[in-house]
Amino acid sequence: MLHRKLIITLTCLCFFFKGYAQKVQPSMVLWYRQPANFSDSLPYKNGSTTNPFDDRNGKGWVEALPIGNGRMGAMVFGGIETERLQLNEESLWAGYYHDVNNPEAYAALPLVRRLIFEGKEDSAKLIGEKAMLGIPKRVSPYQSMGDLLMVFPGLVKEQTRNYYRSLDVDHAMATVRFEQGNNKFTREAFASHVDDVIVLRLTASQKGSLSINLSLDREKDAGSMVKNNSVILSGRLNVPDEKGINHGMLFATHVLPICKGGIITSKENKLIVTNADEIILLIAQATGFGGRDPQQSCAAALLAASKKSYDVLKGNHILDYQKLYGRVKINLNNIPDKEAFAVPTDKRIERLKTDSSGDDYLSALQYQYSRYLMISCSRPGDLPANLQGLWNQHMKPAWESDYHTNINLQMNYWFVEAANLAECHKPLITYIDTLAYHGKRTAKVHYGANGWVVHHASDLFGYTAPVAGVHGVWPVGGAWLARHSFEHYLYSGNTTFLRDKAYPHLRGAAAFMLDFLMEVPPGLPFAGKLVTNPSHSPENAFERPDGTQSQFTSGATMDIQITRDLFDNYLEALDVLQKSQPGLDREFQSSIVKAREHLLPLQVNSSGRIQEWIEDYKETELGHRHISHVYGLYPDNQISVSKTPEMAKAALQTLSVRLQGNPDQPKTKFGAFDSYLNGKKGTGWGRAWIALCFARLGLGDEAYKHHLYLQSQFVFPNLFGIAHGTYQIDNVFGNAAAINEMLLQSQESFIHLLPAMPSKWKDGFANGLRAIGGFQVDMTWQDTTITVATIESTIGGLCKVKAGKIIRR
């Protein structure tokens, strides 16, 4: 169906001024003058297994550059005498499908609830830990596929000059160049989505000067061999059940060299190429996930790719990538192209640690890098981005590199719709189908409830029961995730998607919450109001009147905000669908409306802040990394400067106290990390959330301050994000969401241009951003004021626009 398009152009009289800069985005490139820190011996070759916190010093792996095609990826180190490509395939998880639900949970639930209402949280906690956690108590870990190792006979690091290593974000290409003697060496690497292979081409200016020894290696559960001029790694993960039966996944990697000139030989498990003019390495990876034969999958991918020239493979890759990436262009302060190559990326980061003036080019680069990473790890038909997106070098990564659903997974996708990457949202929405399927049984077994539930962490195999400890008994993860399906509808206006996907997600999550909510008993504050029980404010604790601490409670503020948000979204979705199906879900609709009216109200505590729990408890960590009780400000819109000014004021006070904190305050006994938000501590994702909240409050300079703090304190040399000393991808994506919110907001039934524009970004443009309602926005500004904005409706709708002092023509 063709849609009518409406274009609104808003023009300021000062648009035609002398010296106005052309709207050109500078080259987006990460580049360095040295390889990533890498030795021939991998960590597990030195007699110790890899440590998920090895990366805390910013060396090695977090200096390498990521490439990915959505399903598989590699970290390119750029070594001279030796090179390492650390490999990943999204479905290589050390687990299997089985029933993780605890049959004792539902029987224990009434007692746990009664004890919580009676103020006996410690007793409730003991029962909850024994009877309410899933079996086993941890989700499965995501694992590295292994390493492609390359040794280059004749190359000597000390004899190298003019070294250059880069990641071209505009074209999704990693490049290494250097000279030795009169010979110029070049390596290009990319991960092709369209041809489903990773490609590495090695060239030199002197013919016959390329020699390489190739091998594949993995820490465990695999072996390698040479067959038909290919290096093959294959194995099966060791995942035994209680009877010792191994359910581990099969996996394989194939590497095929295609050479011009030279000789190919083999020795043991190494493939040796000698005196070639050009070497092209085609890399395929696969697992047994979904019933595939990994060996056949790899062989088929290599056979198809080997029939195409390098130029065709590269052209296919760039064209496919640009269809997504090329939709958005951005320039903050009209940075010229030469600025991209003025200072290496690692030096830019170092400079920011002592220079608080900011780096406008780095801000734009981080935004487009976030889009690059999302395209590289979350394509339609693939799995969603996990805690590390796609890239992980460990067998036992931090937090299993899982799907953490008490903020981290959601933060990964906060920016995608506005950043014009709606297709990249689809893997998460498809994954929600998996969670809803498994979560339906968890809802019955653990709570005797209808609908579906997810707690605070999951994995490839749809783990939906509580994990880790009593803090895992947090059954609103699914309700939060359902918001993403609805947002995808809001940005597209696609009612077919709403009917077939978003509405079932919303209804199932709402059905669970309707059954899970319970009335506060007589004699307690807010008697008769509906609350969650058990409940907690993610990973935080409170102090009871007797001085003891607890996490277990009822009616934590975030729970109630998520539930109200879910009910509102469900009712809005139903209203749309009832236009074509008038009788749809009328009885259930009435139940939701009634329950919403009886939810615990949002409260402001005695110090003027949003109250985090049902009672005004003393906080154990004033600067705690989570700001869960301002969920209503962001990502939701229950708290708004225009609609609820008093609550917005309380939210601002909440943020201020979180940031001030109390460095001398003892940490909660439940805390595992020194992660206050105040000072130079906290987590990158926490800082991103803070920036987003200030943007929602219209405080652009304050939002920018925390964006800058992320740049200077919470990024590794390759711009990966830091959390607790190791790598997580959520703050990279959260930072992009904060830039979106500073430039464009549309959550209040109108499009707000430059709603939180930092004074630092005086001039610039952003083209291709999207707004709720099916709109695409191009805008240019001068002196932080819009000069031109073009708003296009992709579905034939009208919009309201707020853009400050604008003269309309």
Side-chain angles (χ1 to χ4, degrees):
M1 175 181 179
L2 294 177
H3 295 287
R4 178 174 59 88
K5 292 185 177 180
L6 171 69
I7 299 179
I8 303 173
T9 302
L10 308 172
T11 307
C12 177
L13 290 179
C14 67
F15 169 56
F16 298 105
F17 66 91
K18 187 176 181 179
Y20 177 75
Q22 280 190 320
K23 295 195 297 182
V24 177
Q25 174 181 281
S27 300
M28 293 292 156
V29 57
L30 289 73
W31 70 277
Y32 310 83
R33 291 195 175 104
Q34 70 286 328
N37 188 8
F38 166 59
S39 66
D40 292 347
S41 298
L42 302 179
Y44 56 85
K45 293 294 185 181
N46 291 331
S48 63
T49 58
T50 51
N51 182 335
F53 293 99
D54 279 346
D55 309 323
R56 66 176 65 241
N57 294 320
K59 299 295 183 182
W61 190 83
V62 291
E63 295 176 346
L65 296 173
I67 57 175
N69 74 347
R71 183 182 67 83
M72 60 181 175
M75 297 293 287
V76 184
F77 283 68
I80 297 169
E81 299 161 316
T82 57
E83 172 64 302
R84 174 190 179 195
L85 263 63
Q86 185 269 312
L87 303 172
N88 284 108
E89 203 279 350
E90 64 176 1
S91 61
L92 191 59
W93 292 66
Y96 61 101
Y97 287 108
H98 62 290
D99 190 350
V100 299
N101 298 295
N102 195 327
E104 299 179 7
Y106 185 47
L109 181 63
L111 179 57
V112 167
R113 286 176 153 175
R114 179 171 63 80
L115 290 171
I116 287 174
F117 278 138
E118 291 176 354
K120 300 174 182 178
E121 292 94 349
D122 288 345
S123 297
K125 176 178 179 289
L126 291 174
I127 297 170
E129 288 180 336
K130 180 181 179 181
M132 299 188 75
L133 300 182
I135 305 170
K137 298 179 182 179
R138 305 294 299 188
V139 298
S140 305
Y142 174 57
Q143 293 194 345
S144 169
M145 178 67 82
D147 297 277
L148 171 59
L149 304 173
M150 291 163 270
V151 178
F152 301 97
L155 291 181
V156 181
K157 182 178 180 181
E158 290 72 21
Q159 297 176 8
T160 298
R161 66 184 187 277
N162 295 329
Y163 181 91
Y164 173 84
R165 175 171 64 102
S166 70
L167 177 64
D168 179 353
V169 173
D170 293 329
H171 300 94
M173 298 283 298
T175 301
V176 175
R177 294 198 302 264
F178 58 87
E179 299 175 21
Q180 185 169 313
N182 295 322
N183 208 353
K184 297 180 180 180
F185 295 89
T186 302
R187 302 175 195 156
E188 292 183 330
F190 59 90
S192 171
H193 174 76
V194 64
D195 287 306
D196 201 25
V197 289
I198 294 173
V199 182
L200 173 63
R201 184 178 72 164
L202 301 90
T203 59
S205 60
Q206 296 181 359
K207 289 187 176 183
S209 59
L210 292 173
S211 297
I212 183 173
N213 299 339
L214 299 169
S215 62
L216 286 165
D217 199 8
R218 192 174 193 272
E219 183 175 338
K220 60 180 182 178
D221 300 335
S224 62
M225 61 181 291
V226 174
K227 183 179 180 181
N228 297 330
N229 276 352
S230 295
V231 187
I232 297 173
L233 177 117
S234 61
R236 183 175 186 175
L237 300 183
N238 185 28
V239 188
D241 62 17
E242 64 277 2
K243 296 180 181 179
I245 301 172
N246 186 16
H247 296 270
M249 195 175 295
L250 294 169
F251 59 92
T253 299
H254 291 199
V255 180
L256 172 66
I258 300 174
C259 304
K260 289 183 180 179
I263 300 171
I264 300 178
T265 59
S266 63
K267 184 178 180 180
E268 297 176 345
N269 63 346
K270 291 182 174 64
L271 199 62
I272 302 168
V273 180
T274 307
N275 299 331
D277 301 333
E278 177 188 81
I279 302 172
I280 298 171
L281 301 181
L282 302 179
I283 306 163
Q285 305 176 71
T287 75
F289 181 66
R292 291 177 299 188
D293 182 318
Q295 299 287 1
Q296 289 183 3
S297 295
C298 288
L302 292 186
L303 178 62
S306 66
K307 295 178 180 179
K308 300 177 182 179
S309 70
Y310 176 79
D311 288 340
V312 169
L313 291 169
K314 181 178 176 180
N316 288 347
H317 159 67
I318 293 174
L319 180 63
D320 172 74
Y321 172 73
Q322 279 288 335
K323 288 177 181 178
L324 293 172
Y325 175 82
R327 296 169 179 171
V328 172
K329 302 293 183 185
I330 188 170
N331 193 333
L332 304 173
N333 272 337
N334 296 324
I335 297 297
D337 190 68
K338 64 181 181 180
E339 178 63 19
F341 304 97
V343 182
T345 306
D346 52 339
K347 301 303 180 185
R348 287 183 181 276
I349 297 168
E350 290 177 15
R351 185 176 64 184
L352 281 176
K353 295 184 185 300
T354 56
D355 180 1
S356 61
S357 62
D359 187 326
D360 300 322
Y361 172 75
L362 188 60
S363 294
L365 174 61
Q366 285 180 304
Y367 184 77
Q368 292 290 41
Y369 183 57
S370 298
R371 297 180 69 248
Y372 163 81
L373 290 174
M374 178 56 68
I375 295 168
S376 300
C377 72
S378 185
R379 290 287 199 106
D382 296 331
L383 297 172
N386 60 44
L387 267 180
Q388 295 185 205
L390 174 65
W391 302 274
N392 160 50
Q393 69 170 332
H394 300 297
M395 300 297 112
K396 295 181 179 180
W399 302 283
E400 287 73 47
S401 193
D402 64 13
Y403 296 117
H404 236 65
T405 56
N406 68 358
I407 184 175
N408 312 91
L409 178 58
Q410 290 90 338
M411 181 177 283
N412 281 356
Y413 288 89
W414 280 347
F415 84 105
V416 293
E417 295 288 345
N420 214 333
L421 293 176
E423 293 92 335
C424 295
H425 212 168
K426 291 180 179 179
L428 176 61
I429 293 164
T430 301
Y431 181 62
I432 293 172
D433 287 338
T434 298
L435 295 177
Y437 174 81
H438 293 284
K440 188 173 183 179
R441 175 163 170 77
T442 300
K444 282 294 183 186
V445 173
H446 280 247
Y447 304 101
N450 293 304
W452 62 279
V453 62
V454 176
H455 295 79
H456 94 286
S458 190
D459 58 18
L460 172 66
F461 309 103
Y463 193 118
T464 53
V467 304
V470 72
H471 62 279
V473 186
W474 183 76
V476 293
W480 188 346
L481 283 171
R483 156 175 269 278
H484 281 265
S485 301
F486 188 58
E487 278 194 350
H488 188 68
Y489 156 72
L490 289 176
Y491 276 86
S492 69
N494 186 332
T495 54
T496 300
F497 171 84
L498 179 67
R499 181 194 66 207
D500 295 343
K501 283 287 187 183
Y503 184 74
H505 291 167
L506 291 165
R507 194 194 189 287
F512 171 78
M513 293 308 303
L514 192 64
D515 287 350
F516 180 70
L517 291 168
M518 62 185 308
E519 290 186 357
V520 177
L524 294 178
F526 297 103
K529 289 294 184 181
L530 290 176
V531 297
T532 51
N533 183 359
S535 170
H536 80 277
S537 194
E539 301 179 31
N540 203 1
F542 58 89
E543 186 175 301
R544 292 173 291 212
D546 63 1
T548 58
Q549 294 181 9
S550 179
Q551 288 182 306
F552 236 10
T553 183
S554 65
T557 297
M558 186 188 216
D559 283 7
I560 304 304
Q561 289 180 329
I562 289 175
T563 303
R564 184 175 286 110
D565 182 32
L566 171 67
F567 287 174
D568 287 345
N569 293 340
Y570 166 76
L571 291 171
E572 184 177 345
L574 181 60
D575 183 62
V576 173
L577 295 180
Q578 284 177 342
K579 289 179 173 61
S580 59
Q581 304 175 65
L584 180 64
D585 267 347
R586 289 293 187 186
E587 185 176 345
F588 187 71
Q589 178 184 21
S590 298
S591 298
I592 294 295
V593 170
K594 181 179 179 181
R596 190 196 180 285
E597 291 173 351
H598 287 84
L599 286 173
L600 182 75
L602 184 61
Q603 303 174 74
V604 176
N605 70 10
S606 57
S607 62
R609 290 174 280 148
I610 302 295
Q611 190 164 298
E612 191 164 358
W613 291 275
I614 191 170
E615 296 185 49
D616 192 6
Y617 295 116
K618 181 180 178 180
E619 296 187 51
T620 60
E621 291 185 67
L622 290 174
H624 193 271
R625 62 193 177 275
H626 282 263
I627 50 172
S628 305
H629 44 316
V630 294
Y631 172 97
L633 176 64
Y634 191 94
D636 193 22
N637 189 42
Q638 295 172 40
I639 301 171
S640 162
V641 173
S642 61
K643 296 179 181 178
T644 60
E646 291 304 314
M647 283 298 174
K649 181 180 178 181
L652 177 59
Q653 180 66 6
T654 301
L655 300 176
S656 299
V657 171
R658 270 291 197 267
L659 289 165
Q660 181 181 0
N662 183 354
D664 300 321
Q665 183 181 21
K667 188 167 53 178
T668 171
K669 68 178 183 179
F670 301 102
F673 301 97
D674 188 11
S675 56
Y676 298 114
L677 277 171
N678 56 286
K680 291 186 178 180
K681 299 177 181 178
T683 63
W685 59 259
R687 193 66 56 169
W689 201 356
I690 289 283
L692 281 156
C693 288
F694 279 119
R696 277 288 170 92
L697 292 170
L699 301 174
D701 283 340
E702 193 66 21
Y704 176 80
K705 171 184 172 182
H706 297 286
H707 160 73
L708 178 60
Y709 199 84
L710 269 171
Q711 286 184 327
S712 62
Q713 303 295 330
F714 290 101
V715 293
F716 286 116
N718 64 0
L719 297 184
F720 274 177
I722 299 175
H724 311 297
T726 192
Y727 156 57
Q728 283 183 200
I729 205 168
D730 43 21
N731 83 357
V732 181
F733 294 149
N735 193 19
I739 294 173
N740 280 341
E741 291 292 314
M742 287 187 265
L743 298 179
L744 177 70
Q745 295 179 24
S746 57
Q747 73 279 0
E748 292 194 305
S749 301
F750 59 87
I751 297 173
H752 194 171
L753 307 178
L754 308 187
M757 172 54 70
S759 55
K760 180 68 170 64
W761 294 340
K762 183 180 178 181
D763 306 319
F765 76 88
N767 289 348
L769 301 182
R770 292 177 69 244
I772 287 173
F775 297 98
Q776 184 162 306
V777 179
D778 295 352
M779 57 183 172
T780 302
W781 63 90
Q782 181 194 1
D783 292 328
T784 68
T785 301
I786 288 290
T787 55
V788 171
T790 301
I791 302 173
E792 178 181 340
S793 173
T794 60
I795 58 174
L798 297 174
C799 66
K800 297 179 181 178
V801 182
K802 180 178 180 181
K805 296 179 180 179
I806 289 182
I807 300 173
R808 293 175 174 82
R809 289 183 180 176

